[in-house]
Amino acid sequence: MKNPANHDSTLDTACVHAGEEKLEARFGLNTPVITSSAFDYTDGEVRYPRYHNSLNHQVVAAKIARLEGAEAGLVTASGMGSISAVFLSLMKPGDHAVLLDGLYGGTTDLVEGLLTPSGFRFSIWDGDPDHLDSLITPHTRLLLVESPTNPLMTIVDLEHTAAIAQQHDTVSVIDNTFATPVVQQPIRHGFDLVVHSGTKYLGGHSDLLCGALAGSKELIEHIHPTVVRLGSSLNGQDLYLLERSLKTLSLRVRQQSANALELARRLDGHEAIDEVLYPGLPEHPSHTIASGQMKGFGGMLSLRLGKDRDPTRFLDALELIRPAISLGGVETTISQPSRSSHAKLGDSERNRLDIDDHLFRLSTGIEGVDDLWHDLRHALN
Ligand SMILES: Cc1ncc(COP(=O)(O)O)c(C=O)c1O
């Protein structure tokens, strides 16, 4: 496996060991799975799984915090559990937030279906740092971005963006699901808070639904009561599964990034492809910014099939790469955003975002890159 020159090998160690508790020898090396939902309270400690204070929760939350370079973390039952807790703990009706254009559909649905009708107010930012200042008002409580974005793989300049939010005393939040802390640690670039759909790369095996938050101790303690009230807690078995998955996060994501870069380069020259969207390609409009803030460029890439090609025939011809909603697993999957993540948008919104049936999103797995290329080339031809 290629090791990018700027690879941080201490992260490999943190994936395996951060957060672990050294228990008595009889428990062995792994964290025991605590299945109890009832605990003796007479020692003065109030323990209950929904309060996020079980051993399994503490170990995995500490590991994620360490990986993100944060003081503290929280694990939730889904990515949306984390995202909704962020909005509901940092804002009240009447407050305002700035959202990057084209956020994950579930986040947009939360904003449009629940928060806006409840009196929360939002502005959409086009990602240009020069346009951000004018969107922030005295009522703005938070800024939420993703980088890279789904599925167009646009990049936000993290340092510049975080600095503008900080000047306005606005909490800067990033959904780091696509990049993972292996590829980018936004807190080190000045962001206040990181959220994850842990269902994707953190879980990494397409068998776990979970979410996570990481930030300062003060912010996490502020969000904690909302997470408890919303009831977005993960059970002991799934917390253990997440801890186990995180031990190989760095290995997996480095292989996924290397595969994605190689596939992006090969796809880029193919006559059936109009465009490859991947920040690791020199012609990506934000390649220089991405190179400065990412270690490797992640496992997600998008491609636009030539207009003379039939998208359904291409999809049907793939044998190894399977169509799937969700991403970040060890297996390579493909999705057509116009029919999956962005299917609910109207035609005009999809046209505005330039998402049509010829656009495909690839979540690159850890398989041999030549086998993946063979499958893609066969389907393209
Ligand atoms: C970028 C991003 N954020 C958040 C979510 C929501 O996560 P979950 O499905 O774990 O609630 C998703 C799910 O696809 C996602 O892709």
Side-chain angles (χ1 to χ4, degrees):
M1 186 192 317
K2 271 194 199 138
N3 198 0
N6 58 355
H7 172 67
D8 170 11
S9 62
T10 61
L11 203 82
D12 299 347
T13 311
C15 283
V16 180
H17 293 296
E20 70 189 357
E21 298 249 346
K22 290 213 167 60
L23 302 172
E24 289 170 46
R26 67 192 171 100
F27 288 115
L29 292 188
N30 289 319
T31 312
V33 179
I34 309 289
T35 55
S36 289
S37 59
F39 291 82
D40 185 341
Y41 62 91
T42 53
D43 64 356
E45 287 264 358
V46 179
R47 292 190 194 86
Y48 188 59
R50 184 164 53 79
Y51 299 164
H52 293 72
N53 56 7
S54 70
L55 176 66
N56 293 108
H57 184 272
Q58 282 164 347
V59 167
V60 75
K63 192 187 284 290
I64 291 170
R66 163 68 185 83
L67 295 178
E68 286 290 359
E71 283 175 0
L74 273 173
V75 180
T76 55
S78 69
M80 289 314 300
S82 286
I83 293 168
S84 49
V86 168
F87 283 119
L88 294 170
S89 57
L90 297 178
M91 296 175 74
K92 56 182 184 334
D95 285 345
H96 173 256
V98 177
L99 310 176
L100 182 70
D101 196 9
L103 290 178
Y104 165 64
T107 306
T108 308
D109 182 57
L110 173 70
V111 164
E112 291 175 356
L114 183 68
L115 299 175
T116 304
S118 307
F120 294 69
R121 293 177 297 147
F122 298 93
S123 299
I124 303 299
W125 174 46
D126 64 6
D128 181 341
D130 291 342
H131 300 162
L132 182 53
D133 242 349
S134 62
L135 294 175
I136 300 179
T137 75
H139 300 286
T140 307
R141 297 288 165 258
L142 70 93
L143 163 72
L144 175 61
V145 305
E146 291 170 15
S147 182
T149 58
N150 172 27
L152 298 177
M153 306 300 294
T154 55
I155 298 292
V156 169
D157 181 335
L158 300 184
E159 222 140 276
H160 197 160
T161 304
I164 297 171
Q166 197 176 23
Q167 278 160 21
H168 293 272
D169 253 345
T170 296
V171 179
S172 49
V173 188
I174 180 164
D175 182 333
N176 205 24
T177 299
F178 265 40
T180 84
V182 178
V183 169
Q184 93 192 349
Q185 293 167 308
I187 287 176
R188 299 203 192 281
H189 295 282
F191 267 76
D192 295 311
L193 199 58
V194 168
V195 295
H196 276 279
S197 169
T199 315
K200 311 298 176 330
Y201 287 98
L202 304 190
H205 297 73
S206 309
D207 58 3
L208 184 57
L209 186 76
C210 60
L213 287 155
S216 68
K217 197 163 173 290
E218 189 186 350
L219 259 177
I220 294 296
E221 278 175 3
H222 178 78
I223 296 169
H224 179 230
T226 305
V227 171
V228 172
R229 286 174 191 133
L230 290 173
S232 174
S233 34
L234 204 61
N235 63 69
Q237 263 117 357
D238 283 348
L239 284 161
Y240 177 73
L241 203 52
L242 177 58
E243 184 191 346
R244 193 170 107 154
S245 294
L246 287 169
K247 293 184 185 189
T248 57
L249 178 71
S250 184
L251 278 177
R252 286 186 279 111
V253 172
R254 281 160 56 205
Q255 174 79 12
Q256 286 163 316
S257 292
N259 280 354
L261 181 60
E262 187 56 33
L263 290 180
R265 285 180 178 149
R266 294 187 192 184
L267 287 164
D268 201 25
H270 197 284
E271 54 166 18
I273 304 278
D274 269 0
E275 196 182 11
V276 179
L277 307 169
Y278 188 65
L281 293 178
E283 62 266 31
H284 186 284
S286 301
H287 176 66
T288 310
I289 294 171
S291 303
Q293 64 193 29
M294 299 171 92
K295 295 182 190 122
F297 299 94
M300 302 301 301
L301 71 96
S302 293
L303 58 95
R304 218 180 274 284
L305 215 54
K307 287 282 172 264
D308 56 333
R309 306 283 161 148
D310 179 344
T312 308
R313 280 188 67 198
F314 166 63
L315 205 55
D316 288 348
L318 289 166
E319 287 172 2
L320 183 64
I321 300 173
R322 308 223 340 237
I325 285 189
S326 202
L327 58 110
V330 289
E331 64 287 305
T332 301
T333 57
I334 192 161
S335 80
Q336 210 172 356
S338 63
R339 299 188 170 208
S340 54
S341 53
H342 294 67
K344 278 194 196 151
L345 298 183
D347 284 345
S348 64
E349 183 60 3
R350 263 200 306 272
N351 287 342
R352 185 183 74 78
L353 294 171
D354 209 8
I355 294 173
D356 61 19
D357 285 352
H358 284 73
L359 183 71
F360 286 89
R361 189 192 73 187
L362 212 57
S363 167
T364 313
I366 62 170
E367 303 96 330
V369 72
D370 287 332
D371 292 328
L372 297 172
W373 175 237
H374 179 79
D375 199 30
L376 283 167
R377 198 178 51 177
H378 169 257
L380 288 170
N381 289 341

